Amino acid sequence: MDNLFILLILPVISAIILAFIKNSSAKWAALVLSLIQLGLTIPFICNFVPDASVQFSQSWNWISALSIQFHIGLDGISLPLLILTNGLIPLIILASFGHDQKGGFYGLVSFMQAGLVLVFISLDAFSFYVGWEAALIPIYFICALWGDGNRIKINLKFFVYTFFGSLLMLIAIIYLYQQTGGRDMSWTALTNLDLTVAAQNWIFWAFFIAFAIKIPLFPFHSWQPDTYTHAATAGTMLLSGIMLKMGLFGLLRWLLPLAPEAVSRYGNIALIMGIIGVVYGSIIAFKMKDAKRLVAYSSIAHVGLIAAGIFSLTQEGLQGAILQMINHGISVVGLFFVIDIIQKRTGSRDLSELGGLAQNMPILAFTFLVIIMGAIGLPMTNGFIGEFLLLKGIFASPENGVLFAVLGGTTLIFGAVYMLRFYQKTMLGQINDNQVQVKDISGYEVILLSIIVILVILIGVLPNGLLHLSEASVSQLLQQIK
């Protein structure tokens, strides 16, 4: 099985099927279909040769009048993100089992999966842009229809932000296409263009702003906390676990090779923005009483460090970024699921109204603790090796590397403080009288959190498999831009 197109078409077919299922069996159909998608991903992992080549490549004419081809393939940078997407979707679907969602909801999740997969496997700018926009539409409706609070206004802000960034990127893509004489939109053709310094400068900022909004990087982050807080749990998981990785992946796949001279000129500014995000997100997270907002701001801190690692332009920084994208996705899905469980059991996610839940929920308390250990980068958990590589890469960056590494390293200290405070405020201390009867997790909740815990420990102990996938492709990328 080496037909990569099947990983695109199956989620689309799944979305159509699920849209017509109106009863509670939709969740089981969605889970089975997502597991089939995951199963079909395994042959690509097993048959992947960890070198710098593009594998399982497929292309065919799409819009002949404009010489636009549909070109897809996998390399060591895109395969880890494909694994993350198709691995997390079944968990996100399983996490929604307690909310009695119907087929329309799961259909949107599957359609979004198709968009995400297309972003990560595209080897031409046109299909990349199609996937970029295709993933935005379903998440907007998931957040707007199944969210809470002032969700319409909040999601309109999210849509306007991301659409503005998309428009900038589209203008840059059209310009690059014109530079090929209107003949080619392939990644190879566009990255081989001999652009002037002035052209590279504005191309850099057009792509960077689009990706920075999606990540989100400070100061383009203002849409994120409200959107994460008021979206349905599955929507928050999709946004934080997978969708923000589109922006980080875009930096690696498109921005760095398209404008290498501009990257060397302005990359330090982007690195500083990432470091500011680390400190800013962590400080705000200290003060949050709403558990969802706390994790939202912690996410700003974590992705800021990942972006800084990318702009360190070092082997360790780039590989650490790819590994930490996966680690962040796993940990943040686990954290938001724990918050969802606590809110369903107690009716609140306000830290001032919680406490002592470990007395009645020992299984949740244990799994929650392991996930938090991974999130703060404790040795032998998934977060440790990723953050170590990121900081090592930032330390080796040519300008002010030591200072940036020290500031970036505050994420370890700050993260430990606000995450352990989060655990203490919910699990430890005196239990509230109205929460004495809460029951521990069971059934699908135990299965999902057990999988997360296993991944946290497994990647922490055996990270080499994932690192080996990306090593050659990252080396080639660095040679290309230096």
Side-chain angles (χ1 to χ4, degrees):
M1 174 67 70
D2 61 357
N3 190 333
L4 193 58
F5 186 68
I6 195 170
L7 295 184
L8 272 178
I9 197 64
L10 179 59
V12 176
I13 295 171
S14 299
I16 295 169
I17 293 171
L18 292 168
F20 289 99
I21 302 177
K22 304 301 181 184
N23 54 38
S24 59
S25 62
K27 62 184 181 184
W28 292 105
L31 181 61
V32 170
L33 289 166
S34 66
L35 289 173
I36 292 172
Q37 174 83 348
L38 177 59
L40 291 172
T41 310
I42 293 172
F44 295 98
I45 303 170
C46 296
N47 296 324
F48 183 80
V49 179
D51 58 22
S53 65
V54 174
Q55 299 166 47
F56 314 110
S57 179
Q58 293 176 266
S59 65
W60 53 89
N61 288 331
W62 193 2
I63 306 175
S64 299
L66 298 176
S67 300
I68 293 175
Q69 285 196 319
F70 189 85
H71 191 189
I72 55 176
L74 287 174
D75 67 356
I77 295 173
S78 56
L79 180 58
L81 277 302
L82 179 68
I83 296 170
L84 177 71
T85 302
N86 290 341
L88 284 185
I89 291 293
L91 297 182
I92 293 170
I93 290 172
L94 190 60
S96 70
F97 271 30
H99 292 275
D100 193 31
Q101 304 289 8
K102 299 298 188 290
F105 173 86
Y106 294 111
L108 288 170
V109 172
S110 291
F111 189 76
M112 183 179 177
Q113 182 178 13
L116 291 164
V117 169
L118 181 56
V119 165
F120 296 134
I121 67 175
S122 289
L123 292 174
D124 70 272
F126 191 80
S127 58
F128 174 81
Y129 186 79
V130 170
W132 184 271
E133 291 301 295
L136 174 62
I137 297 166
I139 192 62
Y140 171 80
F141 285 107
I142 288 171
C143 295
L145 295 178
W146 287 277
D148 58 30
N150 194 8
R151 59 188 185 275
I152 302 301
K153 181 179 178 181
I154 289 167
N155 283 286
L156 182 61
K157 179 180 179 181
F158 161 58
F159 188 85
V160 169
Y161 255 84
T162 51
F163 192 76
F164 172 72
S166 299
L167 182 60
L168 290 177
M169 182 168 64
L170 179 61
I171 292 169
I173 289 172
I174 293 171
Y175 172 82
L176 293 168
Y177 173 64
Q178 294 295 340
Q179 303 314 298
T180 68
R183 296 188 304 273
D184 205 340
M185 272 202 177
S186 70
W187 180 89
T188 303
L190 298 186
T191 55
N192 285 333
L193 287 172
D194 186 17
L195 299 173
T196 66
V197 173
Q200 284 200 37
N201 288 345
W202 81 263
I203 290 291
F204 173 92
W205 288 109
F207 274 95
F208 176 75
I209 291 172
F211 297 148
I213 290 171
K214 190 77 78 176
I215 292 171
L217 276 183
F218 178 93
F220 302 101
H221 67 284
S222 65
W223 64 266
Q224 187 252 44
D226 285 339
T227 306
Y228 279 24
T229 301
H230 295 286
T233 298
T236 308
M237 290 176 174
L238 286 164
L239 283 165
S240 59
I242 311 173
M243 193 171 185
L244 70 80
K245 311 309 186 297
M246 291 165 54
L248 294 165
F249 173 79
L251 297 176
L252 294 167
R253 171 62 78 233
W254 295 97
L255 181 62
L256 298 189
L258 279 174
E261 291 183 42
V263 167
S264 65
R265 187 174 300 107
Y266 301 118
N268 218 42
I269 297 174
L271 194 157
I272 291 169
M273 289 168 63
I275 296 297
I276 292 173
V278 170
V279 179
Y280 168 82
S282 298
I283 291 173
I284 300 298
F286 285 152
K287 300 181 178 181
M288 290 296 104
K289 292 183 178 180
D290 185 311
K292 249 188 165 183
R293 291 186 79 85
L294 186 154
V295 177
Y297 278 104
S298 79
S299 183
I300 292 174
H302 282 98
V303 297
L305 187 65
I306 295 172
I310 291 173
F311 284 103
S312 72
L313 304 181
T314 60
Q315 181 80 21
E316 297 89 349
L318 267 63
Q319 279 201 268
I322 294 169
L323 179 61
Q324 200 63 355
M325 283 188 233
I326 296 173
N327 293 335
H328 177 265
I330 293 168
S331 296
V332 80
V333 165
L335 288 170
F336 279 121
F337 186 55
V338 168
I339 293 169
D340 186 55
I341 291 171
I342 291 172
Q343 187 172 8
K344 282 192 298 182
R345 295 289 201 280
T346 67
S348 176
R349 58 174 189 254
D350 188 324
L351 299 185
S352 64
E353 298 176 0
L354 299 169
L357 295 178
Q359 296 177 32
N360 293 336
M361 308 179 79
I363 302 175
L364 177 66
F366 171 74
T367 53
F368 185 18
L369 184 61
V370 174
I371 294 167
I372 279 188
M373 293 299 103
I376 65 178
L378 191 76
M380 306 301 285
T381 65
N382 63 338
F384 174 73
I385 189 65
E387 292 195 348
F388 177 82
L389 286 171
L390 287 170
L391 292 173
K392 188 174 186 297
I394 295 168
F395 184 87
S397 59
E399 293 186 43
N400 301 312
V402 176
L403 174 62
F404 293 147
V406 170
L407 291 173
T410 58
T411 187
L412 299 172
I413 302 168
F414 292 158
V417 173
Y418 62 71
M419 280 296 176
L420 291 176
R421 170 179 168 270
F422 178 20
Y423 187 83
Q424 182 262 325
K425 290 285 187 180
T426 53
M427 296 292 119
L428 307 179
Q430 184 67 37
I431 192 168
N432 288 354
D433 292 339
N434 60 343
Q435 295 165 7
V436 171
Q437 301 301 319
V438 295
K439 295 181 180 179
D440 205 355
I441 56 173
S442 60
Y444 76 93
E445 297 167 333
V446 174
I447 294 171
L448 196 159
L449 288 177
S450 296
I451 293 170
I452 297 285
V453 165
I454 290 168
L455 291 173
V456 166
I457 296 171
L458 187 64
I459 296 174
V461 176
L462 300 170
N464 281 340
L466 289 170
L467 291 171
H468 192 47
L469 287 179
S470 62
E471 184 176 2
S473 293
V474 166
S475 296
Q476 185 184 61
L477 174 59
L478 288 172
Q479 290 170 11
Q480 185 178 0
I481 65 177
K482 288 186 176 180

